Amino acid sequence: MNILVVGSGYVGLVSGTCFAELGHKVFCIDIDEKKINSLQSGKIPFYEPELADLVIKNIQSQSITFTTKLAESLNQADLVLICVGTPPKQTGQADLKYIFQAVEEIGKNLTKYTVIVTKSTVPVGTAQKIKKIISKNYNGEFDVASCPEFLREGSAVKDFMNPDRIVIGTENQRASDLSNELHEKLDCPKLETNLETAEMIKYASNAFLATKISFINEIANVCENVGADVEQVAEGMGLDTRIGKAFLRAGIGYGGSCFPKDVRALHHVAGQTGYPFQLLKAVVEVNNQQRWLFYKKIKDELKCLENKTIAVWGLSFKPDTDDVRESIAIDIIEKLVEDGANVKAYDPEAMKNTQEILGDKIQYCFTADFALENADCLVIITDWDEFKLVKFENIKSKMKTPLIIDGRNMFDGEKLSSQGIKYISVGR
Ligand SMILES: NC(=O)c1ccc[n+]([C@@H]2O[C@H](COP(=O)([O-])OP(=O)(O)OC[C@H]3O[C@@H](n4cnc5c(N)ncnc54)[C@H](O)[C@@H]3O)[C@@H](O)[C@H]2O)c1
């Protein structure tokens, strides 16, 4: 099939590339000329494991092309996948301006029957609004569909190629058949629903995962008061197949471009319908509080932060990505700087993106080891695997004081203290 992907960011680029790999002919467009220029020469604008090789392979086989011109590729496409951003407004509501801009342009340039599929995460009712906008601009036949994307940054290609499920929301057989044909080669359960249900499944899924994280973080906070170990509590809970192990890792809370905005957006949608979603309100509050409870551990240990040197490991919102959107590291570092500390930061991939936000407020180090030199404390914010490889002897010999405050429970506290390193983590 011929597919036009609108928006070549994380979701658009990964989806487009994977669909090309699965045998479709893909045109990826974006309004960001710089991004398209770099993609045309095979350069990926962000870090995502496995993606670069796949993009280059599919450029070479001419299965994927990148352009800024929507009209030219639109009239060749059987399906259009909308993958533009849906950032939060101040109120928490999803800002749909990029969706509507894209859809208006699609409507103005349609020349034949096409299915317009939304992959972006959008509030319930958006597909119907898309339909109206296209109808205003185009008299011919078309359909809309909702196939929300569930990939995770850091394992996006793997997730896309091996999904747990595919949700296909449509209004009629023709759109359903074409949407099914698009996903034919992906072997997983395919759930067919109406448009509204498909849109809701995505929000409900992210809100539930965020709830699990806030839940285990509250358990961790209680564990600290009663002398229990949250890691073992989570293990004991996770062995129950009704609960499951995933997303029960206590820490400093969730960040990133999806959970914070999607939880707030669902809370907002519910409120607008007259239903106050109390559980989600608490999920957000607990998540916001968790980073400051962690910060208090740093303050309690160091007392005064003025002129203290703090090594920070991990800047991205999670490992294996360079994405720092709503990364908790940024909040923690800004507060450390405000309190007078000198921050030496290291991240395997996210230094450039962090520098765009924090500028020269902090020192950027080339290695994790280098960040440790002369530090009064090491603060771990993102659990990159490479941090596990750093030798404990190095930690001790390089730091002014061998003190680790770990927001991701990466290490075994007993092992570290037997080597003379003070180790403070979350919920144990
Ligand atoms: N990032 C994730 O892990 C993830 C996972 C699942 C779902 N989602 C959802 O997918 C959507 C996209 O997220 P993302 O992280 O890929 O965003 P992104 O910011 O990385 O990419 C969006 C792209 O759309 C482009 N764009 C905006 N308006 C356009 C237009 N009119 N025409 C063409 N291109 C346009 C932007 O320039 C940008 O490159 C969001 O709704 C998000 O919630 C994201």
Side-chain angles (χ1 to χ4, degrees):
M1 301 177 96
N2 287 352
I3 302 161
L4 170 61
V5 176
V6 181
S8 304
Y10 284 89
V11 167
L13 184 58
V14 173
S15 308
T17 308
C18 291
F19 278 131
E21 181 69 13
L22 291 170
H24 299 297
K25 186 159 177 56
V26 177
F27 306 93
C28 277
I29 70 141
D30 205 287
I31 44 170
D32 183 341
E33 228 167 281
K34 227 171 104 194
K35 197 176 263 186
I36 290 300
N37 286 342
S38 110
L39 284 167
Q40 280 168 341
S41 58
K43 278 197 211 103
I44 311 302
F46 50 83
Y47 173 76
E48 182 60 47
E50 297 181 40
L51 185 60
D53 289 348
L54 218 53
V55 171
I56 290 166
K57 181 180 164 210
N58 283 283
I59 290 178
Q60 282 166 353
S61 64
Q62 296 181 349
S63 312
I64 194 164
T65 46
F66 298 97
T67 170
T68 50
K69 297 185 179 68
L70 178 131
E72 283 171 18
S73 11
L74 181 63
N75 57 36
Q76 300 177 55
D78 302 301
L79 291 111
V80 176
L81 306 186
I82 299 177
C83 301
V84 301
T86 49
K89 289 185 183 172
Q90 282 274 310
T91 53
Q93 189 179 7
D95 188 346
L96 298 178
K97 69 171 181 247
Y98 300 114
I99 297 268
F100 296 149
Q101 275 165 12
V103 167
E104 199 157 316
E105 210 189 335
I106 292 167
K108 283 182 183 151
N109 289 286
L110 268 182
T111 52
K112 63 170 188 60
Y113 176 82
T114 311
V115 184
I116 318 299
V117 184
T118 307
K119 277 191 99 50
S120 300
T121 305
V122 293
V124 178
T126 304
Q128 296 295 353
K129 288 185 185 157
I130 290 176
K131 211 164 111 183
K132 272 196 194 132
I133 296 174
I134 294 185
S135 297
K136 257 195 217 156
N137 292 284
Y138 175 64
N139 290 329
E141 271 189 300
F142 74 94
D143 275 309
V144 293
S146 168
C147 298
E149 182 50 58
F150 297 95
L151 62 77
R152 294 163 297 177
E153 286 174 25
S155 54
V157 172
K158 255 195 205 92
D159 290 345
F160 192 94
M161 291 302 209
N162 308 282
D164 291 333
R165 79 313 209 171
I166 288 166
V167 174
I168 299 177
T170 54
E171 286 185 309
N172 60 45
Q173 200 57 47
R174 192 175 183 190
S176 158
D177 288 346
L178 279 161
S179 305
N180 272 294
E181 196 183 330
L182 172 71
H183 296 103
E184 206 166 38
K185 290 207 178 137
L186 293 169
D187 182 21
C188 67
K190 288 170 187 139
L191 182 66
E192 297 227 30
T193 69
N194 65 19
L195 297 169
E196 290 72 19
T197 307
E199 291 170 335
M200 190 64 179
I201 287 171
K202 174 64 189 178
Y203 270 136
S205 302
N206 274 4
F208 183 73
L209 293 171
T211 302
K212 265 186 122 176
I213 295 172
S214 279
F215 180 84
I216 200 65
N217 281 335
E218 293 230 270
I219 294 288
N221 299 339
V222 181
C223 281
E224 289 182 6
N225 293 344
V226 299
D229 180 333
V230 73
E231 295 294 312
Q232 291 185 327
V233 172
E235 194 184 344
M237 288 169 66
L239 287 169
D240 186 328
T241 50
R242 294 171 303 174
I243 298 173
K245 287 184 185 160
F247 285 78
L248 284 184
R249 290 206 48 210
I252 49 175
Y254 59 79
S257 70
C258 291
F259 284 3
K261 90 172 163 62
D262 293 347
V263 174
R264 291 205 322 261
L266 178 54
H267 184 255
H268 188 272
V269 166
Q272 287 224 307
T273 66
Y275 183 76
F277 204 143
Q278 296 180 58
L279 183 58
L280 285 191
K281 187 165 177 266
V283 167
V284 173
E285 282 168 7
V286 169
N287 194 60
N288 291 340
Q289 160 192 277
Q290 195 67 9
R291 70 198 67 180
W292 302 123
L293 291 178
F294 176 73
Y295 192 81
K296 189 171 172 296
K297 290 176 200 258
I298 307 173
K299 272 205 117 158
D300 286 350
E301 277 307 308
L302 295 175
K303 310 292 181 238
C304 168
L305 288 168
E306 188 81 42
N307 291 326
K308 293 274 169 30
T309 300
I310 313 284
V312 172
W313 280 0
L315 301 166
S316 53
F317 82 93
K318 67 172 190 174
D320 299 317
T321 178
D322 61 358
D323 197 344
V324 295
R325 290 181 284 183
E326 297 227 23
S327 172
I328 291 168
I330 306 291
D331 277 1
I332 302 257
I333 290 174
E334 280 186 325
K335 185 81 181 104
L336 285 168
V337 171
E338 190 188 310
D339 285 343
N342 304 311
V343 174
K344 296 174 78 180
Y346 171 73
D347 186 285
E349 296 292 340
M351 307 266 266
K352 190 169 154 273
N353 285 344
T354 307
Q355 203 158 6
E356 278 171 20
I357 300 171
L358 295 177
D360 58 5
K361 280 189 200 162
I362 62 169
Q363 188 185 339
Y364 302 91
C365 301
F366 288 111
T367 64
D369 262 356
F370 183 51
L372 297 174
E373 275 171 22
N374 255 334
D376 294 283
C377 173
L378 164 63
V379 171
I380 301 178
I381 300 195
T382 318
D383 46 345
W384 285 87
D385 273 348
E386 76 165 65
F387 299 155
K388 292 196 188 119
L389 304 175
V390 175
K391 294 197 176 71
F392 292 150
E393 309 88 74
N394 275 3
I395 295 182
K396 219 175 144 190
S397 65
K398 290 198 155 108
M399 291 179 71
K400 208 188 283 169
T401 335
L403 167 66
I404 301 178
I405 305 184
D406 180 1
R408 299 292 178 188
N409 292 356
M410 288 193 79
F411 297 112
D412 177 341
E414 274 176 27
K415 240 191 215 163
L416 284 172
S417 57
S418 73
Q419 308 218 12
I421 297 170
K422 185 162 187 188
Y423 179 70
I424 293 164
S425 52
V426 180
R428 35 180 207 167

